[in-house]
Amino acid sequence: MTVTMTATNLGSQPAPVGMGAHPYLTTVGADGATVRADDVELTVPAATRLETDDRSIPTGARAVAGEPFDFRRPRLVGSLALDTCYTDLDRDPDGRARVRLGTPGGGSVTVWMDETWRYVQVFTGDTLGPQERRRRIAVEPLTCPANAFNSGDGLRVLEPAASVGGTWGIHPTRA
């Protein structure tokens, strides 16, 4: 699946713009059953995560190296609760960053994003109701982080008649 999103300022004044998508993904094990977040092998090619306050408003940035939030190499999510915005994404020669969810001996799903998407939020669903908690993982391409309309971080301002757009997609694979 490929998604192209475009925003155009049709007004007469400069306008701020931020774009995001919120796909919730599941993976399937070798037995064909849906795998819970704890048993998903996650790869997030990001050097930095945003720290947040109790309202999930970003308060600063922190390198992921040596932290439990470091998924630059594939590893199991385990019991780690993620509602984490990553940035400083490592990109392939084609300019795409790729976040991968996989299961040992099972399938995988990759969310890829072009350079327009400078942030990615990963959410394990720990705050959801009991029936939905940790059943899926959201991998959310973002052009700017939460609260950007107040902080200005990552926010783009479009002049009248200007446009901005980007492409992201989801690529599943079978075992």
Side-chain angles (χ1 to χ4, degrees):
M1 176 178 87
T2 299
V3 177
T4 300
M5 296 172 70
T6 304
T8 302
N9 181 355
L10 300 177
S12 61
Q13 301 292 318
V17 64
M19 296 184 291
H22 306 281
Y24 281 81
L25 307 168
T26 58
T27 56
V28 177
D31 62 359
T34 299
V35 176
R36 295 186 61 81
D38 305 51
D39 299 317
V40 169
E41 187 178 80
L42 175 64
T43 309
V44 181
T48 305
R49 72 174 176 92
L50 300 185
E51 295 181 305
T52 59
D53 65 15
D54 60 345
R55 297 182 307 147
S56 298
I57 306 268
T59 58
R62 183 180 186 122
V64 298
E67 285 197 342
F69 299 96
D70 187 352
F71 287 94
R72 292 174 295 168
R73 296 212 185 334
R75 68 180 181 84
L76 290 178
V77 171
S79 63
L80 184 65
L82 294 170
D83 191 359
T84 308
C85 185
Y86 291 92
T87 190
D88 296 328
L89 302 174
D90 193 25
R91 297 186 181 273
D92 292 342
D94 64 2
R96 292 179 175 176
R98 288 177 168 78
V99 175
R100 182 183 174 276
L101 307 174
T103 56
S108 69
V109 62
T110 299
V111 176
W112 58 266
M113 57 210 84
D114 71 17
E115 289 109 341
T116 303
W117 314 95
R118 295 178 28 218
Y119 301 85
V120 62
Q121 186 87 14
V122 180
F123 177 62
T124 52
D126 292 80
T127 57
L128 300 176
Q131 297 292 4
E132 296 300 319
R133 189 172 297 134
R134 298 186 72 81
R135 291 181 52 103
R136 295 169 196 83
I137 296 178
V139 178
E140 308 171 358
L142 304 168
T143 62
C144 56
N147 202 44
F149 284 90
N150 290 315
S151 70
D153 293 339
L155 194 64
R156 300 227 12 209
V157 176
L158 296 181
E159 295 299 321
S163 295
V164 63
T167 303
W168 64 275
I170 298 174
H171 180 76
T173 59
R174 292 187 181 251

